[in-house]
Amino acid sequence: MRLYDSLSRGVHDVEPVEPGRVKIYACGPTVYRYVHLGNLRTFLLTDLIRRALEFEGLDVIEVQNITDVGHMTDESSPEALDKMLLAVEDEGLQPLEIAEKYTQEALEDMAAVGIRLPDVMPKATDHIPEMIELTQTLIDRGHAYVVDTGSVYFDVTSFPDYGKLSGNTLDKLKAGHRDLETDPAKRHPADFALWKAAGPGRLMKWPSPWGDGFPGWHIECSAMSMKYLGERFDIHTGGTDLRFPHHEDEIGQSEGAVGHEVVSTWVHGGFLQLTGQKIAKSTGNVIRAPELIERGLDPLAFRWLTFQTRYRSQMDFTWEAMETADQRVRQLRRHVAEWGDPAPVLGPAAEEADARFREALASDLDMPTVVRIVNDLDRSADVPPAEKRALLASWDHVLGLDLERDADAAWQPDEEVRRRVAERDAARAAKDYASSDRLRDELQGMGLEVMDTPDGTKVRPR
Ligand SMILES: [Zn+2]
């Protein structure tokens, strides 16, 4: 698998630090607001990288954080309002209740578009000690300083590589950098907070060696990525807007603390635009996954829509294109059902299509080509229907479009299967994971795929 690395500005092979196992860190949702389709496009990129690597037979460990503190200031407004405080006022809930509510909403929206849950979803507020420790390490190593108020800043002049990811090197920043942190005690305008002293009215604050306060936003991703994935890991993903300052600052922190490169490949996804404007809260142009469902569209078809554009390019969202994608996915499902049972072996034409599919995926996730390959196969007169069915069922592990849905709808579990499903749900409710795993293995042994859904165990023919 080859991916474009934003740092070296080139396409490279993914060569995991630990052979056979790829470690991925993805910047996750900020939970004082809903996630929108633009966020979901970025999260889908990570999901796709993971699925493609697993399709190649690699193990993947994926960590995606939940930002529930530290990125709560609206830096686009002159008053620098704390968004969490605004949400607390608007909704009459406590900060942790707000965070819990929007975390659940984010997980549901991610599941709706077929994003598989990461292996670990650490919350920033559960990792304050790790962030304090990392901040202390940076002070000890001469990369950070404490000011009178009790805030701690990263000293950008102590890190000669500052700017290597975004191109915002210090000579350029001196000229026209908008000062996001207004503290006059800062030594350089680009210095950024690792720890902020709690001002009056601050609801979320923690004790620290420098007094009560709260962590800066960037430090959480350094602390949590290295805690769960180690001091060297393979892929770090995020939206292109995170390259600066968030990921630039993360590089300074992580490499400043350990003294060597931490991330092998930086992958950044392009914006989703709506009528020419970036989909972001500040523009008021926010579409959420539930709105797709309300309009009678299958949210999984949003995946197919995103596949039409290379992931680094800006993508325009229109309802017309979304409806076309929805119709196409439904049509593919009908075709899969019509093609009958999957063939156990592939002929030469199907093997060739499979090789093309794998090559397109490996080529920095060339999904527009993948779409063409799927369409070609659908129309092909050279590949027998049973082989088309087998191929699309296999490819769907990456596409995630539930292409066998119509074919499965005709299938009904027998009495024995239904009994095991009920037993497994009871075992899971009782937290008897040994029995639950045994029953899953038994169901799989009967040739079934076993899925955990919010409504309990679901099975279908594999
Ligand atoms: Zn992050």
Side-chain angles (χ1 to χ4, degrees):
M1 171 115 181
R2 303 179 299 281
L3 284 174
Y4 181 87
D5 171 34
S6 306
L7 181 57
S8 59
R9 295 166 181 81
V11 176
H12 304 289
D13 283 333
V14 175
E15 285 168 7
V17 175
E18 186 185 323
R21 171 170 291 187
V22 183
K23 295 176 183 167
I24 306 178
Y25 184 87
C27 286
T30 300
V31 289
Y32 60 79
R33 61 183 173 201
Y34 293 114
V35 301
H36 50 66
L37 293 187
N39 303 131
L40 290 175
R41 183 188 181 207
T42 305
F43 300 160
L44 265 172
L45 167 60
T46 312
D47 179 67
L48 206 55
I49 292 172
R50 175 190 184 152
R51 286 169 179 263
L53 289 165
E54 288 180 347
F55 197 63
E56 282 197 355
L58 292 156
D59 274 346
V60 176
I61 299 183
E62 186 196 340
V63 177
Q64 183 171 36
N65 67 307
I66 305 263
T67 297
D68 56 356
V69 66
H71 184 218
M72 303 303 177
T73 302
D74 181 3
E75 284 155 353
S76 62
S77 78
E79 306 86 26
L81 297 170
D82 185 318
K83 292 289 204 63
M84 181 62 93
L85 281 183
L86 292 181
V88 165
E89 279 171 24
D90 284 354
E91 306 195 29
L93 297 170
Q94 288 303 302
L96 289 177
E97 293 171 329
I98 300 260
E100 180 59 27
K101 169 184 162 181
Y102 288 104
T103 300
Q104 288 312 317
E105 296 279 0
L107 294 179
E108 277 174 31
D109 291 1
M110 288 163 72
V113 298
I115 293 173
R116 288 167 44 199
L117 279 192
D119 301 290
V120 191
M121 291 197 90
K123 292 180 192 172
T125 51
D126 288 340
H127 296 78
I128 304 292
E130 287 87 346
M131 291 186 236
I132 290 175
E133 193 186 320
L134 191 58
T135 301
Q136 187 62 55
T137 302
L138 288 166
I139 296 171
D140 295 344
R141 291 177 65 103
H143 287 299
Y145 57 93
V146 188
V147 300
D148 286 347
T149 52
S151 289
V152 183
Y153 290 102
F154 187 88
D155 174 5
V156 290
T157 63
S158 74
F159 188 71
D161 278 349
Y162 192 84
K164 67 178 174 179
L165 176 68
S166 62
N168 289 322
T169 46
L170 294 183
D171 50 326
K172 286 182 193 150
L173 284 174
K174 247 182 231 156
H177 181 54
R178 211 179 77 235
D179 191 352
L180 298 179
E181 319 254 6
T182 47
D183 191 339
K186 279 198 324 186
R187 294 178 192 165
H188 187 286
D191 288 353
F192 55 90
L194 302 174
W195 185 263
K196 296 189 198 187
R202 159 78 27 193
L203 294 174
M204 297 174 96
K205 59 183 172 187
W206 292 264
S208 83
W210 320 287
D212 282 2
F214 60 101
W217 168 35
H218 317 303
I219 193 75
E220 70 173 82
C221 287
S222 285
M224 294 192 282
S225 64
M226 291 196 288
K227 170 171 179 170
Y228 292 101
L229 299 175
E231 289 183 6
R232 291 181 196 274
F233 62 91
D234 305 299
I235 298 171
H236 195 313
T237 61
T240 188
D241 53 331
L242 296 187
R243 284 202 314 157
F244 185 82
H246 185 53
H247 290 162
E248 193 70 67
D249 292 354
E250 192 181 325
I251 289 174
Q253 295 163 161
S254 299
E255 297 191 4
V258 300
H260 58 72
E261 190 178 81
V262 174
V263 175
S264 304
T265 306
W266 287 89
V267 180
H268 290 102
F271 283 131
L272 180 75
Q273 296 215 111
L274 179 66
T275 57
Q277 279 184 296
K278 178 183 129 188
I279 292 200
K281 181 96 176 173
S282 55
T283 65
N285 274 323
V286 180
I287 301 175
R288 297 183 47 221
E291 195 174 338
L292 304 178
I293 300 165
E294 282 159 23
R295 288 178 181 239
L297 300 165
D298 186 326
L300 290 184
F302 179 65
R303 298 176 73 93
W304 184 255
L305 181 64
T306 67
F307 297 164
Q308 320 288 320
T309 309
R310 288 302 290 263
Y311 73 83
R312 286 199 291 137
S313 303
Q314 204 160 273
M315 168 187 159
D316 282 310
F317 179 92
T318 65
W319 284 110
E320 200 181 2
M322 182 64 217
E323 275 153 26
T324 306
D326 178 75
Q327 284 159 20
R328 179 59 177 147
V329 168
R330 290 175 199 271
Q331 184 183 48
L332 283 171
R333 287 179 188 144
R334 280 199 304 277
H335 291 176
V336 167
E338 286 159 14
W339 291 334
D341 287 336
V345 251
L346 300 178
E351 288 284 12
E352 201 219 305
D354 194 38
R356 284 173 62 215
F357 177 87
R358 288 169 188 271
E359 173 53 26
L361 271 187
S363 303
D364 193 27
L365 293 175
D366 184 356
M367 299 310 287
T369 297
V370 163
V371 165
R372 265 200 307 282
I373 293 166
V374 170
N375 290 339
D376 287 350
L377 179 78
D378 182 29
R379 281 192 298 263
S380 171
D382 303 330
V383 180
E387 293 180 30
K388 292 184 183 185
R389 164 82 190 265
L391 269 184
L392 277 194
S394 155
W395 295 353
D396 205 29
H397 288 111
V398 179
L399 302 173
L401 300 170
D402 200 9
L403 290 176
E404 292 188 288
R405 185 184 292 178
D406 289 3
D408 294 342
W411 176 84
Q412 290 297 331
D414 63 21
E415 179 56 38
E416 203 184 340
V417 169
R418 284 204 301 273
R419 181 177 58 76
R420 282 193 169 80
V421 165
E423 277 178 23
R424 181 161 188 271
D425 284 341
R428 280 168 64 81
K431 301 204 186 313
D432 175 3
Y433 296 115
S435 300
S436 148
D437 287 352
R438 176 179 52 79
L439 287 156
R440 182 198 58 212
D441 294 346
E442 286 176 16
L443 287 163
Q444 285 173 343
M446 297 162 80
L448 300 170
E449 183 181 353
V450 182
M451 295 162 288
D452 294 323
T453 77
D455 304 322
T457 303
K458 293 267 181 282
V459 292
R460 63 182 179 190
R462 199 160 36 191

